[in-house]
Amino acid sequence: MTDALTTVEPAAATPRGGGGGTLRYVLSKVGAALISLGLIVVLGFVLFRVLLPGDPVRTLTRGAPVTPEAAAALEREYGFDLPLWGQFTRYLGNLAHGDLDRSLVFKVPVAQKIGERLGPTLLLVGVGTLIAVVLGLWLGTRTAWRRGSRFDRTATGIALALWSAPTFWLGLVLLTATGGLFPSGGITYPDTPPDFLSQALDTAHHMVLPTITLVAVVYAQYQLVMRSSLVEEMHAEHLLTARAKGLRDDEVRRRHAVPNALLPTVTLVFLHLGLVVSGAITVETVFSWPGLGLLTFEALRFPDYPLLQGTFLVLAAAVVVMNLVADLLLRVLDPRVRAS
């Protein structure tokens, strides 16, 4: 009799961090972002409708005396005659249809006003962030590789001092120190010719001081994180192996150390990008840069409740979205996160 031997193939082990793990990770991060956005909606309504003092009718009429009938008509038009819960329900209903209500001061839809001011903010933040990233990564790499040197101590000390300086104070110092060399406010001069080149050069001239201010308070974080990561990476065993193979220090730094040390800084860039957008309020106010930051300051002066709710929602949502991008990017770049 022949014995029949049955060979049982071992089940293929599912690697950790596979497709199912990635999907769960993405869903959890997206769910957390949606919860944060919901809390932002509620907080924005409570913060500006309940805690912020002011009379919306007075804002609508710019303080001019009105009859009780006219005041009641204005309250009905904007929903201020409803109880607080009714106002919140109306706000959610409008928000579901993409309607951020009408500005009390500018008498136009809030979404339209935000759209007009979004471009200058993106331009300022985009250029400032790009310069800050390049400068921070370059200085972080140089100071780490020459740690303990005079260059390292000087560059790190300057970065720490600028990081600690209040943004508005730094902007005012630059305005005073430049002595009128650059424009003190606005984005272009009214008499600038309308052609593209003239407008672009004038805008670049107006951008110098606000961009320097924004870069000065942002690049230090990238420099310090890059320096710390590279100093830690320089003690890794694979760098000793690379040197043992005869590679020069420049090649070891460029091909082995820097790419591995970039991961925390790249994540920080996206994590911090939303905060830079919301933090541009101070820079835009000091230099009268016509972006979302200055619009928020203008809305606070009256106060313009619908406009404040709209700008708060956009700026806070930018922070949440950039945090989500940073989390997802970390999953892609860091194998340790993929394996978890």
Side-chain angles (χ1 to χ4, degrees):
M1 187 173 88
T2 304
D3 292 335
L5 299 178
T6 304
T7 303
V8 179
E9 295 291 339
T14 302
R16 296 184 65 187
T22 300
L23 181 60
R24 286 193 299 271
Y25 180 86
V26 171
L27 291 178
S28 66
K29 295 301 179 182
V30 171
L34 292 176
I35 293 174
S36 298
L37 289 175
L39 293 175
I40 287 170
V41 170
V42 176
L43 178 61
F45 179 85
V46 173
L47 183 64
F48 300 117
R49 294 291 183 105
V50 178
L51 302 182
L52 192 66
D55 182 4
V57 174
R58 184 177 178 84
T59 301
L60 282 165
T61 60
R62 303 295 180 90
V66 294
T67 63
E69 293 78 10
L74 289 174
E75 289 183 346
R76 283 194 302 272
E77 180 182 353
Y78 284 85
F80 291 113
D81 61 324
L82 299 173
L84 193 60
W85 181 253
Q87 293 183 39
F88 182 65
T89 304
R90 178 179 179 272
Y91 171 63
L92 291 181
N94 291 340
L95 194 60
H97 293 87
D99 182 9
L100 298 177
D101 217 334
R102 290 177 62 84
S103 168
L104 304 182
V105 175
F106 298 100
K107 306 298 193 300
V108 297
V110 170
Q112 175 185 331
K113 201 64 186 177
I114 290 177
E116 294 172 359
R117 299 292 189 93
L118 185 60
T121 292
L122 293 180
L123 176 63
L124 177 62
V125 170
V127 173
T129 300
L130 179 62
I131 296 174
V133 169
V134 173
L135 181 62
L137 294 183
W138 182 79
L139 285 174
T141 302
R142 293 295 175 181
T143 53
W145 211 251
R146 298 169 59 182
R147 64 190 185 280
S149 65
R150 179 179 299 178
F151 175 77
D152 176 28
R153 294 194 298 270
T154 302
T156 303
I158 292 174
L160 288 172
L162 291 175
W163 193 9
S164 305
T167 307
F168 73 90
W169 176 84
L170 186 59
L172 294 175
V173 168
L174 286 175
L175 280 173
T176 305
T178 53
L181 184 62
F182 299 99
S184 60
I187 190 170
T188 56
Y189 289 119
D191 57 349
T192 302
D195 61 282
F196 175 79
L197 181 59
S198 299
Q199 290 287 325
L201 291 176
D202 193 17
T203 300
H205 192 208
H206 280 75
M207 282 184 63
V208 171
L209 291 184
T211 302
I212 291 176
T213 304
L214 193 62
V215 170
V217 297
V218 171
Y219 90 92
Q221 298 183 54
Y222 305 142
Q223 175 187 333
L224 297 175
V225 171
M226 184 63 186
R227 181 186 183 280
S228 176
S229 300
L230 189 53
V231 167
E232 183 178 352
E233 184 66 24
M234 284 164 58
H235 298 290
E237 294 181 357
H238 67 276
L239 296 188
L240 298 177
T241 304
R243 290 191 181 94
K245 291 180 178 180
L247 293 180
R248 294 176 302 175
D249 276 356
D250 286 343
E251 292 178 313
V252 172
R253 179 174 66 243
R254 185 177 64 255
R255 294 168 53 183
H256 298 280
V258 172
N260 290 337
L262 272 175
L263 177 60
T265 311
V266 171
T267 305
L268 178 65
V269 169
F270 285 90
L271 192 64
H272 193 251
L273 190 57
L275 296 176
V276 173
V277 173
S278 59
I281 295 176
T282 306
V283 176
E284 292 186 3
T285 302
V286 170
F287 295 100
S288 299
W289 185 262
L292 290 180
L294 183 60
L295 183 64
T296 303
F297 176 76
E298 293 170 348
L300 276 169
R301 291 171 55 194
F302 292 103
D304 190 335
Y305 304 108
L307 187 55
L308 283 171
Q309 288 174 178
T311 55
F312 175 80
L313 181 61
V314 170
L315 295 176
V319 177
V320 173
V321 171
M322 287 300 103
N323 285 356
L324 175 62
V325 172
D327 287 336
L328 298 181
L329 187 64
L330 185 63
R331 177 82 178 187
V332 173
L333 297 178
D334 195 343
R336 294 169 295 182
V337 177
R338 290 198 301 271
S340 62

